[in-house]
Amino acid sequence: MIQQLSETGVSGLVLFNRFFSPDIDTDKFEVKPSFVFSSPSDIAISLRWMAIMSQRVNCDLAASTGVHDAQGVIKHILAGAQAVQMVSTLYKNKIPYLKTVNRDIQNWMEIHGFNTLADFRGKLSQSKADNPAIYDRLQFMKYYS
C-alpha cells in the first residue's frame, strides 16, 4: 500500500501516526483519551517500516512516533527517513530542546565522519543490509526459539 501511494504523485508519506488510544472513566462513565504522548519505546514500528520501505518508494518518507532524542532521529535517518517528527518530546521539553538534539546529532556525525545527513541516510535500510532478513518476522522467531 505504501508503494502504491508513493506512485500517485504524493511528495511524501508519514510512517506512522500514533493511534488514538481511548480509556474509560469507570466513575464518570465516559470515554477519555489516554497515553496522549508517545514514549521512546514506540519507535520500533516506524523504524522497522522506514528501513523496509525507504529505498522502495517514489516519494520522501517522514518518521513519526517514539522519537524523543538525537538517537531516535539518527536511527530513522540511518533507516532512510527524509524527515523526522518529534512532537511529543517537544510538548514535554519545549522548542529550545531542538538545540540540544541538533548539537547531539552534529556531535555524532563528527565522531562517525559524516558531513551531511545524506552521507548516512539509508545506510541501514533493508535494501542496503548485508542480511535483509534482519527486518523480517523470521528474525523474531529465531531469537525466541
Side-chain angles (χ1 to χ4, degrees):
M1 184 170 129
I2 295 169
Q3 283 177 318
Q4 289 174 343
L5 285 171
S6 79
E7 294 170 5
T8 65
V10 299
S11 298
L13 296 167
V14 178
L15 305 182
F16 286 96
N17 192 12
R18 186 171 161 77
F19 292 110
F20 172 70
S21 300
D23 193 7
I24 294 177
D25 185 318
T26 57
D27 292 321
K28 294 182 181 178
F29 298 96
E30 295 176 351
V31 176
K32 62 180 187 174
S34 68
F35 310 113
V36 175
F37 296 119
S38 71
S39 69
S41 64
D42 293 329
I43 197 172
I45 293 172
S46 63
L47 188 60
R48 176 178 184 246
W49 282 103
M50 183 62 65
I52 291 171
M53 298 307 301
S54 68
Q55 308 294 318
R56 294 186 169 100
V57 295
N58 296 320
C59 66
D60 290 344
L61 294 178
S64 177
T65 304
V67 182
H68 285 253
D69 56 20
Q71 283 295 304
V73 173
I74 292 164
K75 287 176 183 183
H76 272 294
I77 294 171
L78 283 165
Q82 293 288 327
V84 181
Q85 298 179 4
M86 301 179 65
V87 178
S88 290
T89 197
L90 293 180
Y91 270 109
K92 293 176 184 177
N93 298 305
K94 309 301 179 214
I95 299 301
Y97 179 62
L98 284 175
K99 290 179 183 177
T100 300
V101 172
N102 284 334
R103 184 195 66 231
D104 292 350
I105 293 170
Q106 188 64 44
N107 289 342
W108 180 88
M109 288 172 61
E110 288 174 15
I111 289 167
H112 294 281
F114 298 118
N115 295 314
T116 68
L117 299 178
D119 291 343
F120 65 97
R121 180 174 288 115
K123 196 170 184 67
L124 295 179
S125 65
Q126 185 182 41
S127 66
K128 292 184 181 177
D130 292 335
N131 179 11
I134 196 77
Y135 290 108
D136 293 336
R137 177 104 174 127
L138 180 62
Q139 289 305 110
F140 172 81
M141 293 186 299
K142 284 182 181 178
Y143 179 80
Y144 285 104
S145 65

